[in-house]
Amino acid sequence: MIGSIPMRKFEHQIHDRALIAAMLDMIPIVHVGCNDGECPYVVPLSYGYEVTEDALRVFLHCAREGRKAELWQGEPWVSLTFSAFQNRPNDPYLGEIHDYRSVMANGIIRRVSRQGRDSCHGRGIQAILRHNGRRPTQFSVPHYAFLDLYLVECPWDRVTAKAEIPFTDAAQVPFPTPEQIRTGPQGPFDYSWFFNRKVGEGPGNREPPVPLAPLEPLGEVLLPDAPLTLTFRWQGPPELDCDVLALVLDGEGRLRRRYDLAFYNQKTDRSGAVTHLGDDRLGRPGEERCQVDLPALGEPWGEVALLLSVYEGDSRGHHLGQLAAVELTVEDAAGTPLARGALAGAWQGQGSALAARLRRLPGGGWRLTAPCDAAWEAWQATALFSVFGLERWLE
C-alpha cells in the first residue's frame, strides 16, 4: 500500500507507483533530512531512483567526508522530500492559480560498496546519470576518488505523494504549458471521484460472513450517553459493495465541514468521537462497524447520521434494493447488546439511504431511530453533502 499514514486531504493523494515515478522524473532535487540532536539537518542533493515491488530505492552521491556522512552513519533513518511548485496568479488552470507535485518518504540509508557480486554501485550511478539527463558514460573518473554512493530504501507504506490537481495518467503529471493554460478549461476541477474512490490492498484472507437470522424491525431506542459500537450487517449479491458512512451533524442537522465524516477514506471525523472501523472488502464481508463515543460529542454536535451506500452503484448497476437483509446491532463498551433489529426501507433503485440516526435528547441521553425515511439515487458522499447543508466542501 502507498502511504500507511492517513493524509488529511486524501483526495489529493497519488497512489499509483507509475505516477509517482513520473513525478520524480520532473523533480530534480531531493531534500534529505536526518536527526542532528537539537534540530534536524536537511541537505539538498541530486539523486537517481528505482521502483521495485517492495520499495522506492533512492540513490545519492556525495563527498566521502562531511557532516551529513557522519550523521547518516550514526542515525541511518532519514526523511526524503521531493517537490515542485508552479505559481500562476494571473492564469488559473482548472480553477487553481498554483499547482504542486510532492513525494515524501522515510527509509534507512547505507553506503554502497563498489565491490561484491550483489553490489548495486554501477546501477546506482547510472540511475543518477539518467535522472539528471546525462549519458551513461558522462561521469568523470576523478569523481570516483572522493565521492561515495548511498542508497535509501523506502518501503511503499512509508511513501506518500500528492498533487494540488490529482491525476490518473502519466501524461497529466507535467505542469500545464502556457498554451494549455490559455486554451484549457478555466472552471473548477471536479474532485468528487478522487474523494470517493477506494484505494488500498485486495481482500486477502477474510473471515466468512455472519449469517443473518430474521429479526424484528429496529424502530426507536433510547440509549445512554456512553461509548457505543454500531455494527451493520447485510446479505446481498457478492459483487455488490455496500458501505457505511457516518456524518456528524450539529444541533440543526447540518454537516458543517467535510471533515465531520467517518468512512472508508477518512476513518475518524473532526471531533475524534466517531471512528469507522474499516471497509468490509478488507475485513468480514457484509459487515462494517462504527465506534461512537457519545460523551466526546460536545457542542455543537447533536446528531450522527449513519448512511448505507452502494459503491459505484451507477456504473455497476447496483442499488440498495438488491440487499436481501440488513441488520443493526448496538453494543456498549463492554460488548453488551443494547439494541438489535432489522433495517428496511424503500431502497429499490437507490444508491444510498439514511439507515440510522442518533440524536441528542434535551434532558440527556440519545435516541436511535432506524431506519429513516430518506434515500437518494446518488451513492457518493460528496453528492449528499448539500442534502445535509454543506454547499462548499472543498477546503
Side-chain angles (χ1 to χ4, degrees):
M1 179 179 179
I2 307 295
S4 60
I5 301 173
M7 188 175 290
R8 184 173 67 94
K9 291 189 174 182
F10 52 82
E11 62 269 28
H12 295 268
Q13 189 166 357
I14 306 300
H15 300 271
D16 188 283
R17 298 176 189 180
L19 297 181
I20 292 175
M23 293 168 68
L24 295 178
D25 287 341
M26 67 173 287
I27 300 174
I29 296 296
V30 59
H31 287 80
V32 183
C34 60
N35 184 21
D36 189 12
E38 292 184 355
C39 60
Y41 181 94
V42 182
V43 58
L45 294 170
S46 59
Y47 69 97
Y49 74 91
E50 290 181 343
V51 170
T52 72
E53 183 66 26
D54 299 322
L56 171 65
R57 309 177 84 227
V58 180
F59 295 98
L60 311 168
H61 71 100
C62 63
R64 187 168 299 164
E65 298 177 352
R67 182 60 177 161
K68 55 183 174 294
E70 295 174 4
L71 293 173
W72 294 345
Q73 184 176 5
E75 177 52 73
W77 273 105
V78 297
S79 296
L80 308 180
T81 300
F82 314 79
S83 63
F85 182 82
Q86 184 183 70
N87 188 36
R88 42 178 189 269
N90 300 315
D91 298 293
Y93 181 73
L94 291 175
E96 300 292 345
I97 61 174
H98 70 269
D99 200 358
Y100 62 83
R101 309 284 183 265
S102 173
V103 180
M104 299 182 69
N106 298 324
I108 298 288
I109 190 168
R110 65 176 176 89
R111 181 176 174 272
V112 178
S113 172
R114 293 186 179 90
Q115 282 78 38
R117 178 178 297 180
D118 298 328
S119 173
C120 58
H121 192 279
R123 200 167 72 247
I125 293 294
Q126 295 305 311
I128 293 173
L129 291 172
R130 185 169 56 251
H131 183 261
N132 288 275
R134 299 192 183 187
R135 297 188 302 274
T137 57
Q138 198 172 357
F139 196 82
S140 63
V141 173
H143 278 81
Y144 285 95
F146 64 89
L147 287 184
D148 272 347
L149 182 72
Y150 287 85
L151 170 63
V152 186
E153 296 200 62
C154 307
W156 284 112
D157 64 351
R158 290 183 172 270
V159 178
T160 58
K162 63 179 180 177
E164 174 66 39
I165 302 174
F167 37 76
T168 58
D169 187 275
Q172 301 168 317
V173 173
F175 290 132
T177 64
E179 177 65 21
Q180 289 173 319
I181 292 174
R182 284 194 301 270
T183 61
Q186 300 300 307
F189 181 76
D190 184 6
Y191 290 85
S192 296
W193 182 84
F194 293 93
F195 187 96
N196 293 282
R197 64 178 168 167
K198 287 190 180 183
V199 293
E201 302 296 336
N205 296 321
R206 299 198 293 165
E207 301 178 56
V210 175
L212 302 188
L215 294 174
E216 293 294 321
L218 189 55
E220 289 193 348
V221 181
L222 297 181
L223 296 170
D225 190 22
L228 304 174
T229 298
L230 294 92
T231 302
F232 290 84
R233 295 189 178 97
W234 54 83
Q235 288 181 342
E239 66 275 9
L240 188 150
D241 185 359
C242 191
D243 298 300
V244 174
L245 298 82
L247 279 61
V248 182
L249 312 178
D250 64 16
E252 298 177 355
R254 292 186 301 110
L255 183 71
R256 294 198 168 190
R257 294 182 66 187
R258 53 149 284 189
Y259 306 108
D260 301 327
L261 165 70
F263 76 129
Y264 51 82
N265 276 339
Q266 187 169 270
K267 303 302 183 187
T268 304
D269 79 300
R270 179 165 55 119
S271 75
V274 181
T275 302
H276 186 280
L277 297 180
D279 184 50
D280 79 311
R281 295 279 155 166
L282 304 178
R284 189 192 296 273
E287 177 179 311
E288 291 190 13
R289 295 182 296 150
C290 291
Q291 288 181 337
V292 183
D293 188 355
L294 292 176
L297 277 174
E299 295 294 336
W301 319 120
E303 185 174 338
V304 180
L306 296 138
L307 282 68
L308 291 177
S309 73
V310 177
Y311 185 68
E312 295 184 341
D314 48 2
S315 60
R316 301 182 184 186
H318 297 162
H319 55 86
L320 290 174
Q322 294 173 288
L323 295 176
V326 183
E327 69 174 41
L328 170 60
T329 302
V330 182
E331 299 170 311
D332 62 16
T336 304
L338 303 178
R340 186 184 181 200
L343 305 179
W347 296 345
Q348 191 69 24
Q350 303 299 319
S352 59
L354 184 54
R357 204 164 197 158
L358 280 166
R359 281 179 170 165
R360 191 194 306 273
L361 297 174
W366 294 72
R367 175 184 287 115
L368 172 71
T369 305
C372 305
D373 189 19
W376 306 270
E377 289 186 10
W379 61 270
Q380 305 95 329
T382 49
L384 301 178
F385 282 170
S386 62
V387 174
F388 293 92
L390 181 64
E391 298 294 339
R392 178 178 172 80
W393 59 270
L394 289 175
E395 303 176 50

